[in-house]
Amino acid sequence: MNKSFHDMLTSENELRELLGYPSEVVKRKAIHQLDHHCRDYIAMSPLLFLSTADEHGSCDVSPRGDAPGSVLVLDEGHLVIPERPGNRRLDSLLNILANPHIGLIFVIPGLEETLRVNGQAYIIKDEPILDRMRARGKRPALGIGVKVEECYMHCAKAFKRSQVWDPGTWPAEATLPSAPAIIAAHVNAAEFTEEVVRRGIEESYQKRLY
């Protein structure tokens, strides 16, 4: 039992009593293939969030960003996400090896509705596919292939509440958290000062994006 929380819901009946049931449109909006609307959305999206879990159900969400059109739609049932260079933790890839279930949220800047895609994931090395996802002259070493099982539009309420696309609500740059400072504090080793971490991050951004 979690000692921090004292009044927890434990059944769907409790949830439904409090929150109700979806409308008929919401119940019927999910489709099971990538129609031309989904393809057009994906073609314009430069950013997606990828959710995976390991064999024990421990979850991970990872952003994937690239030029619009970098996610390759093969047909109405399959898409491929290029695996660009990262930090080599391989969280998403290792999860996929243990548990192929995957969830994606595609985002288009300025549009508050998002596209959700759920399905089964595979780590692929098909050279003809990877060749089609070259960027800056470099082919990705791997791709994440997804067999689509469900896709649907997600409403804009989160974006409207957060006002994330309204620059007038953005915090001043000087007040933003410092990633190098946070990482250095979390690493907690004398040789990895904030400045050392900053230089490493900048080098990675300059030399290892693709």
Side-chain angles (χ1 to χ4, degrees):
M1 180 65 67
N2 191 306
K3 295 182 180 180
S4 296
F5 308 114
H6 306 289
D7 191 3
M8 295 179 286
L9 281 66
T10 58
S11 71
E12 181 177 350
N13 286 339
E14 292 175 292
L15 285 171
R16 294 299 180 188
E17 184 177 347
L18 183 64
L19 302 178
Y21 290 83
S23 69
E24 193 65 21
V25 169
V26 171
K27 287 190 289 186
R28 298 178 61 175
K29 70 178 179 177
I31 61 175
H32 306 289
Q33 59 191 23
L34 298 170
D35 68 355
H36 71 279
H37 296 295
C38 295
R39 294 184 188 210
D40 290 345
Y41 193 109
I42 292 170
M44 292 185 65
S45 173
L47 177 68
L48 65 92
F49 295 90
L50 184 155
S51 175
T52 57
D54 66 16
E55 68 271 25
H56 304 296
S58 296
C59 299
D60 181 79
V61 178
S62 174
R64 292 290 197 276
D66 222 319
S70 294
V71 173
L72 181 62
V73 177
L74 298 178
D75 53 45
E76 65 183 15
H78 300 85
L79 60 83
V80 183
I81 304 161
E83 182 66 15
R84 307 298 187 195
N87 59 17
R88 296 188 289 274
R89 279 180 54 109
L90 310 183
D91 295 309
S92 300
L93 300 179
L94 293 173
N95 283 349
I96 290 169
L97 290 177
N99 177 354
H101 296 286
I102 192 168
L104 309 172
I105 294 182
F106 289 91
V107 178
I108 297 176
L111 179 62
E112 294 179 321
E113 287 80 13
T114 55
L115 176 67
R116 296 176 61 166
V117 177
N118 300 316
Q120 301 280 321
Y122 311 86
I123 301 172
I124 67 167
K125 294 192 346 181
D126 304 57
E127 291 188 6
I129 294 176
L130 299 179
D131 280 337
R132 296 171 62 184
M133 296 190 291
R134 288 181 177 272
R136 301 187 187 181
K138 296 183 179 180
R139 186 180 73 180
L142 300 170
I144 298 175
V146 178
K147 180 181 178 183
V148 175
E149 296 178 340
E150 180 182 49
C151 41
Y152 56 93
M153 293 298 294
H154 191 99
C155 77
K157 289 179 181 177
F159 283 79
K160 289 186 178 299
R161 292 176 185 131
S162 66
Q163 298 180 289
V164 71
W165 296 134
D166 179 4
T169 69
W170 297 353
E173 185 175 357
T175 68
L176 294 175
S178 166
I182 294 170
I183 294 171
H186 290 177
V187 172
N188 192 26
E191 65 269 31
F192 293 109
T193 64
E194 179 179 344
E195 182 57 30
V196 168
V197 172
R198 187 188 312 279
R199 291 200 302 267
I201 291 174
E202 291 175 353
E203 180 189 28
S204 175
Y205 293 162
Q206 292 169 4
K207 298 180 179 179
R208 294 189 294 279
L209 279 183
Y210 290 92

